[in-house]
Amino acid sequence: MKLNTLLALGTLTLSPIALADDILVVMSDTAQMTLKNGTEYKTGVYLNELMEPVKLFLEAGHTLTFASPTGMAPRLDPVSDTPDHFLDTSKANYTAHKALFNQLMIDDKTQSPVISFARVEQMGIEQFDAVFVPGGHAPLGDLVANPQLGEFLKHFNATQKPTGLVCHGPVALLSALPNAAEFEAQMKQGEKAQPAKGWIYADYQMTTFSNSEEAVATQYYLGGDELHYWPQDALTKAGGNYSRSEQDWHPHIVVDRELITGQNNKSSVGVAKALLKQLDQ
């Protein structure tokens, strides 16, 4: 399928015709993380977790605006560049999504459409109709305690606009904690983390990458080193009502009011479809 793209201030559409909804796609700038025991780990956005929803959003006729904390072109997590992580693991499906990723120039250092959070503020967060955050370990690097992102999420929550996150992406919800930076520091230090009262997502039903899945990732992807803390633990301690699939690596999507979360890489399509359903209501 040939896409006509409009590259302007990070916004992409299927055509230059004005469309009903503008979806803010939030990614991390993190390309490398220092793990708990000092290992330097290359990370970035997960290919399928970004592109399966992006392709569905574009095919539904929506406008996309890509953003990250500083507006850097995100790195593609090298572990994610395989058909195996997609819901449809066929080579043809992978090739179609990778071609779209390249066509949109998302990781191009000079032509990437990604804009900064500061530019989003200038444009006005109220112009966006939904927000989507893909995973990969990268969100743990710079989205958990980002005050600008916290303000964005408060807008989507207050206005009940669809808010979709998948795999490690839901850790971004912690940015809306009144004491996000302190909470993150406590989690990293292994202390008893104390979330401040007033988290907008307290008691919401939600999911994220499970501890048992993280244990497998630790062994096979992190070389035995560990993250400073795991997403399931952080969201649970913050006050979220966590649930997971009966089996690891199976799709699990949780919808509670405007919040749509997916457990793992196999949940990206389900999160995207649930977000589109809310936009159509």
Side-chain angles (χ1 to χ4, degrees), residues 90-224:
S90 69
K91 183 66 179 296
N93 183 64
Y94 160 81
T95 300
H97 285 87
K98 185 62 181 291
L100 180 58
F101 178 82
N102 292 333
Q103 184 178 348
L104 299 181
M105 299 183 288
I106 291 171
D107 66 342
D108 189 291
K109 292 183 178 180
T110 59
Q111 300 186 72
S112 174
V114 177
I115 62 174
S116 67
F117 286 175
R119 183 69 185 105
V120 172
E121 289 179 335
Q122 291 174 348
M123 295 168 66
I125 191 63
E126 64 279 355
Q127 83 166 50
F128 298 100
D129 303 291
V131 61
F132 172 71
V133 185
H137 288 103
L140 288 153
D142 59 359
L143 298 185
V144 174
N146 187 290
Q148 290 172 299
L149 180 57
E151 291 303 313
F152 296 164
L153 291 175
K154 289 173 186 176
H155 165 78
F156 289 105
N157 173 261
T159 54
Q160 291 290 286
K161 294 178 180 178
T163 302
L165 313 93
V166 67
C167 200
H168 290 77
V171 297
L173 298 172
L174 298 169
S175 67
L177 272 169
N179 66 332
E182 180 184 2
F183 183 82
E184 180 186 40
Q186 291 171 342
M187 290 296 300
K188 286 183 175 180
Q189 293 164 11
E191 300 175 1
K192 187 176 181 180
Q194 297 289 338
K197 293 182 179 180
W199 189 38
I200 56 177
Y201 300 110
D203 297 324
Y204 268 67
Q205 303 294 324
M206 62 181 66
T207 190
T208 189
F209 204 55
S210 70
N211 283 352
S212 56
E213 290 167 328
E214 199 70 76
V216 174
T218 296
Q219 180 180 359
Y220 290 101
Y221 299 148
L222 306 187

Side-chain angles (χ1 to χ4, degrees), residues 1 3-4 11-23 53-64 129 276 279-280:
M1 176 182 65
L3 294 175
N4 295 317
T11 300
L12 298 126
T13 69
L14 276 173
S15 75
I17 300 173
L19 299 169
D21 298 302
D22 192 340
I23 301 173
V54 162
K55 192 168 186 289
L56 288 171
F57 296 156
L58 288 174
E59 289 174 345
H62 298 300
T63 300
L64 302 184
D129 303 291
L276 289 171
L279 284 176
D280 287 341

Side-chain angles (χ1 to χ4, degrees), residues 223-244:
D225 206 340
E226 297 182 48
L227 298 172
H228 292 278
Y229 60 90
W230 290 358
Q232 177 183 334
D233 293 335
L235 289 176
T236 300
K237 289 180 180 179
N241 290 322
Y242 180 82
S243 68
R244 51 153 298 150

